[in-house]
């Protein structure tokens, strides 16, 4: 796809300039010490038209040649038992597993453990951050959402989408989850193949896909931005809520997502090692993204109204209250400009809950041991995940 020449085409637009000079972008620069410029733009731009060809080939060889359920079972066998050179499996499968079974020389399991502990001990702040900053904030980038729109994610509804994201996030951030054949490793490989499956389906059925503007569906550069959401944006959100973290935990969080990204087939040179690098990479990517469009607004509202649809809470007043709290957190975590573009409802006393949360975090941090917080966080997060899985397995949410 070398025929597309990409420029930082939105760098003079108000949404880009405001974000980086007075919005969350400026906060990210202050938070990370990043030095942003366009000097490396050419090194990254080609990845807008780059995809995981290994994953795509596996989907063509395995998923497109048999029933979906059979293909899934077959892949599960490979994930759990491994694949060796002598196995009679398609070449593409050997290629995928020789990459994912080989531990990169930079991998450090102790760092991954520190990152996982930060995710667990931040308890519900982790889940609020993922939802009210990482996910909703991502909807402001119109082209990033195009695959969601093309695969009709809106029709599936936010409960299902949230449940899938949560399932993935929880399972890759537990102890030892990312060791070969373990559950987090399995989630990473399956997610990689789901991306390939979606991409091939979009290319086949969605004739109006505009590659030169939107990039390839689920391209490597967009994947990088998504993973920066899980690392940098997530960390910034915890920071905004008054959580503190050690240097080791912070390094660990980036290391964990770097390895997950590696398993997902994102090129290594797109995976940042720390918050400074992540902010610099993110700056370049945002320059090719326009601001929200009508699909962005629909996606954001679908997520806000998820609290009302979701039967986890029994009573209507509880659901309305939960929606209110998420709206308060969204206003607290995102720029006002972004909230206005996504048409987030303006609610009274919106700073009350997040600021109270910040004060409580400070007290909790200084009075409860780290071990106890990790344990409780893991338990509470697993409980939320179980509730979501129970509901989505219920027939109404298919």
């Amino acid at each position: 796809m070398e025929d597309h020449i990409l420029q930082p085409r939105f760098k003079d637009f108000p949404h880009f300039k405001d974000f980086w000079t007075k919005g969350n972008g400026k906060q990210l620069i202050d938070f990370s010490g990043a030095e942003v410029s366009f000097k490396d733009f050419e090194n990254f731009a080609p990845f807008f038209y780059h995809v995981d060809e290994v994953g795509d080939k596996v989907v063509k060889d395995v998923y497109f040649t048999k029933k979906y359920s059979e293909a899934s079972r077959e892949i599960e066998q490979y994930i759990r038992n491994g694949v060796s050179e002598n196995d009679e499996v398609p070449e593409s499968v050997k290629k995928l597993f020789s990459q994912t079974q080989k531990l990169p020389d930079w991998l450090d399991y102790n760092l991954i453990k520190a990152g996982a502990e930060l995710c667990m001990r931040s308890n519900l702040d982790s889940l609020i951050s993922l939802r009210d900053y990482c996910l909703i904030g991502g909807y402001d980038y119109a082209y990033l959402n195009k695959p969601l729109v093309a695969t009709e994610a809106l029709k599936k509804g936010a409960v299902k989408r949230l449940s899938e994201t949560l399932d993935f996030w929880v399972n890759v951030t537990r102890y030892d989850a990312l060791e070969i054949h373990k559950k987090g490793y399995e989630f990473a490989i399956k997610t990689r193949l789901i991306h390939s499956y979606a991409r091939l389906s979009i290319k086949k059925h969605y004739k109006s896909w505009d590659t030169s503007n939107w990039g390839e569906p689920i391209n490597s550069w967009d994947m990088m931005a998504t993973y920066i959401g899980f690392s940098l944006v997530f960390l910034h959100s915890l920071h905004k809520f008054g959580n503190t973290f050690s240097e080791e935990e912070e390094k660990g969080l980036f290391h964990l997502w770097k390895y997950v990204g590696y398993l997902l087939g994102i090129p290594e040179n797109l995976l940042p090692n720390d918050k400074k690098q992540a902010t610099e990479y993110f700056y370049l990517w945002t320059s090719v993204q326009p601001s929200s469009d009508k699909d962005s607004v629909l996606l954001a509202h679908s997520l806000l109204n998820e609290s009302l649809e979701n039967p986890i809470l029994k009573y209507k007043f509880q659901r309305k209250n939960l929606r209110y709290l998420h709206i308060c957190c969204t206003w607290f975590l995102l720029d006002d400009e972004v909230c206005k573009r996504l048409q987030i409802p303006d609610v009274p006393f919106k700073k009350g809950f997040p600021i109270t949360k910040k004060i409580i975090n400070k007290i909790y941090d200084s009075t409860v041991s780290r071990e106890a917080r990790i344990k409780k966080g893991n338990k509470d997060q697993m409980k939320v995940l179980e509730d979501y899985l129970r509901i989505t397995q219920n027939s109404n949410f298919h």
Side-chain angles (χ1 to χ4, degrees), residues 90-130:
E91 271 312 303
S92 57
V93 171
K94 285 184 187 169
K95 202 167 172 185
L96 174 74
F97 285 96
S98 69
Q99 184 240 328
T100 56
Q101 288 171 181
K102 181 176 164 288
L103 301 181
D105 45 18
W106 45 261
L107 184 67
D108 177 343
Y109 279 124
N110 287 330
L111 270 183
I112 286 190
K113 177 172 181 260
E117 288 180 340
L118 174 62
C119 291
M120 291 188 279
R121 82 172 174 80
S122 307
N123 202 328
L124 299 181
D125 282 12
S126 290
L127 307 186
I128 293 172
S129 302
L130 286 171

Side-chain angles (χ1 to χ4, degrees), residues 17-232:
K17 287 194 354 205
D18 290 351
F19 182 80
W20 290 104
T21 55
K22 51 187 188 210
N24 271 353
K26 181 182 186 312
Q27 291 178 16
L28 287 172
I29 292 172
D30 296 344
F31 175 59
S32 67
E35 296 160 40
V36 295
S37 73
F38 289 107
K39 70 175 189 327
D40 292 329
F41 185 81
E42 273 68 43
N43 303 343
F44 288 87
F47 289 101
F48 203 47
Y49 304 108
H50 176 277
V51 297
D52 168 23
E53 284 170 7
V54 178
D56 289 11
K57 188 81 178 79
V58 171
V59 168
K60 286 176 187 159
D61 291 346
V62 180
Y63 283 86
F64 288 178
T65 57
K66 51 194 70 157
K67 280 211 199 85
Y68 189 85
S69 56
E70 267 175 55
S72 297
R73 271 202 303 278
E74 187 177 317
I75 292 291
E76 242 161 48
Q77 288 303 315
Y78 303 146
I79 291 172
R80 289 171 192 176
N81 308 315
V83 172
S84 74
E85 268 309 302
N86 316 324
D87 291 349
E88 288 198 15
V89 297
E91 271 312 303
S92 57
V93 171
K94 285 184 187 169
K95 202 167 172 185
L96 174 74
F97 285 96
S98 69
Q99 184 240 328
T100 56
Q101 288 171 181
K102 181 176 164 288
L103 301 181
D105 45 18
W106 45 261
L107 184 67
D108 177 343
Y109 279 124
N110 287 330
L111 270 183
I112 286 190
K113 177 172 181 260
E117 288 180 340
L118 174 62
C119 291
M120 291 188 279
R121 82 172 174 80
S122 307
N123 202 328
L124 299 181
D125 282 12
S126 290
L127 307 186
I128 293 172
S129 302
L130 286 171
R131 177 185 181 131
D132 300 339
Y133 192 169
C134 311
L135 266 180
I136 268 208
Y139 293 153
D140 190 42
Y141 301 102
Y143 293 167
L144 181 64
N145 301 323
K146 292 297 172 206
L148 278 177
V149 177
T151 53
E152 301 194 320
L154 271 166
K155 286 189 185 145
K156 279 193 224 148
V159 179
K160 187 104 177 89
R161 207 163 51 251
L162 209 54
S163 158
E164 285 163 0
T165 305
L166 191 61
D167 204 8
F168 168 74
W169 183 86
V170 166
N171 277 295
V172 298
T173 56
R174 300 306 101 170
Y175 281 130
D176 306 329
L178 291 171
E179 287 177 14
I180 310 264
H181 311 317
K182 293 275 183 75
K183 201 145 177 210
Y185 170 85
E186 179 172 331
F187 262 84
I189 310 268
K190 284 182 174 171
T191 303
R192 177 174 184 168
L193 295 175
I194 288 167
H195 287 151
S196 284
Y197 194 92
R199 173 167 45 247
L200 294 170
S201 306
I202 290 169
K203 304 270 292 178
K204 192 168 154 193
H205 302 296
Y206 199 82
K207 294 291 176 256
S208 53
W209 186 269
D210 177 359
T211 305
S212 67
N213 273 315
W214 303 347
E216 285 289 331
I218 319 178
N219 62 71
S220 298
W221 208 14
D222 283 359
M223 287 291 291
M224 176 207 82
T226 307
Y227 281 77
I228 286 175
F230 284 124
S231 55
L232 172 72

